[in-house]
């Protein structure tokens, strides 16, 4: 079993839709949770960075972390064609446990006109 | 405000040759991480370095792979005697400290013929 599970999609939605992307994980040591966006043949771009449980909002993006369920989500409101990309969740433990990020395999999103 | 820089962006090598991938972190960042992305897989951690020190190399293959981050100059990921299975996208990330977010470069796409 992978430490981080993420549905690869592809997920296709109409423009303006609310998108929900999710990851589950098995390692209870994970404390920091991130979402990256990766366009085709480009490097990952950091979207959201959260610590422990709770919600964080930035513009059209909202990240949620539920540590009790080992489940994280990214919501995109008013989705745009420019949001079409692969979304990667990533997580790590506290510094003493190492700085390496553990990634999901990514969910491919397509927002259609 | 330049981001993480990687070169070359594309590298073609024949089996048995050496590949050298370079990474210049963002200004003010002294922590560098290397990740590998194989087709249809997520990013996998390889190594974490600070200036002149390897902090965590738990993701590095035991043979043929090495990394350095000298006092002056970029970080180098070196792959000796490349094989076709080394073909992948190699990403470098940097952060200002161990507790901070990691920002990724555009990657080097290595193709082994």
């Amino acid at each position: 079993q992978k430490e981080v599970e993420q549905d690869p999609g592809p997920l296709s939605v109409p423009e303006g839709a609310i998108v929900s992307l999710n990851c589950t994980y098995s390692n209870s040591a994970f404390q920091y949770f991130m979402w990256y966006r990766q366009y085709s043949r480009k490097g990952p771009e950091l979207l959201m960075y959260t610590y422990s449980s709770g919600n964080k909002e930035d513009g059209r993006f909202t990240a949620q972390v539920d540590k009790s369920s080992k489940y994280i989500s990214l919501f995109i409101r008013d989705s745009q064609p420019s949001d079409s990309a692969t979304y990667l969740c990533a997580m790590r433990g506290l510094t003493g446990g190492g700085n390496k990020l553990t990634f999901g395999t990514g969910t491919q999103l397509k927002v259609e006109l | 405000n330049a981001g993480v820089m990687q070169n070359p962006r594309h590298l073609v090598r024949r089996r048995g040759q050496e590949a050298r991938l370079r990474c210049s972190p963002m200004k003010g960042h002294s922590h560098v991480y290397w990740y590998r992305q194989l087709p249809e897989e997520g990013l996998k951690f390889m190594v974490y370095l600070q200036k002149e020190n390897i902090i965590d190399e738990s993701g590095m293959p035991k043979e043929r792979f090495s990394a350095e981050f000298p006092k002056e100059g970029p970080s180098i990921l070196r792959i000796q005697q490349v094989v076709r299975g080394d073909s992948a996208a190699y990403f470098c990330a940097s952060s200002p400290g161990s507790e901070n977010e990691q920002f990724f470069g555009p990657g080097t796409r290595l193709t082994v013929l």
Side-chain angles (χ1 to χ4, degrees):
Chain A
Q1 184 188 5
K2 293 179 181 176
E3 278 191 291
V4 180
E5 298 278 358
Q6 186 174 8
D7 186 334
L11 178 63
S12 185
V13 301
E15 184 179 8
I18 296 174
V19 176
S20 172
L21 304 165
N22 312 293
C23 287
T24 59
Y25 63 96
S26 57
N27 189 342
S28 57
F30 290 143
Q31 297 286 336
Y32 292 88
F33 304 91
M34 288 132 270
W35 286 95
Y36 286 85
R37 177 174 63 194
Q38 186 176 25
Y39 292 111
S40 180
R41 307 188 72 77
K42 302 289 186 184
E45 172 193 5
L46 182 64
L47 288 176
M48 302 291 279
Y49 180 83
T50 55
Y51 170 69
S52 197
S53 285
N55 292 2
K56 183 175 181 179
E57 188 173 320
D58 184 359
R60 295 185 296 112
F61 299 94
T62 299
Q64 284 187 353
V65 174
D66 181 350
K67 289 187 63 184
S68 63
S69 301
K70 296 188 176 68
Y71 187 89
I72 69 170
S73 300
L74 178 70
F75 297 95
I76 308 174
R77 291 183 298 281
D78 187 25
S79 56
Q80 304 294 311
S82 58
D83 294 328
S84 298
T86 297
Y87 290 79
L88 305 165
C89 64
M91 46 199 79
R92 70 170 178 87
L94 296 174
T95 303
N99 276 14
K100 59 186 177 184
L101 298 181
T102 301
F103 282 84
T105 51
T107 298
Q108 187 179 351
L109 171 68
K110 185 170 184 181
V111 180
E112 314 228 27
L113 289 168
Chain B
N1 183 18
V4 178
M5 300 180 71
Q6 289 187 250
N7 64 81
R9 295 292 306 278
H10 301 275
L11 182 61
V12 179
R13 286 288 178 265
R14 297 190 181 279
R15 280 179 297 169
Q17 291 184 320
E18 179 180 287
R20 282 188 180 230
L21 288 63
R22 287 176 290 277
C23 168
S24 296
M26 290 178 69
K27 188 176 181 180
H29 289 195
S30 59
H31 299 244
V32 165
Y33 314 81
W34 286 93
Y35 294 83
R36 176 165 63 175
Q37 188 172 40
L38 293 166
E40 308 304 322
E41 293 188 23
L43 285 94
K44 303 292 186 187
F45 168 81
M46 299 181 75
V47 63
Y48 163 38
L49 310 102
Q50 294 180 37
K51 282 286 186 181
E52 299 184 279
N53 289 303
I54 297 174
I55 307 302
D56 181 355
E57 56 182 346
S58 59
M60 286 280 269
K62 297 300 182 194
E63 298 180 353
R64 302 189 297 109
F65 285 71
S66 63
E68 62 177 7
F69 189 15
K71 186 176 180 180
E72 301 290 337
S75 175
I76 306 286
L77 179 67
R78 182 182 177 203
I79 312 172
Q80 294 179 290
Q81 298 176 310
V82 297
V83 301
R84 288 217 173 106
D86 297 332
S87 295
Y90 291 82
F91 291 97
C92 167
S94 74
S95 67
S98 60
E99 297 285 346
N100 304 99
E101 305 93 299
Q102 296 178 24
F103 296 90
F104 282 78
T108 293
R109 280 161 180 81
L110 172 66
T111 301
V112 179
L113 300 177

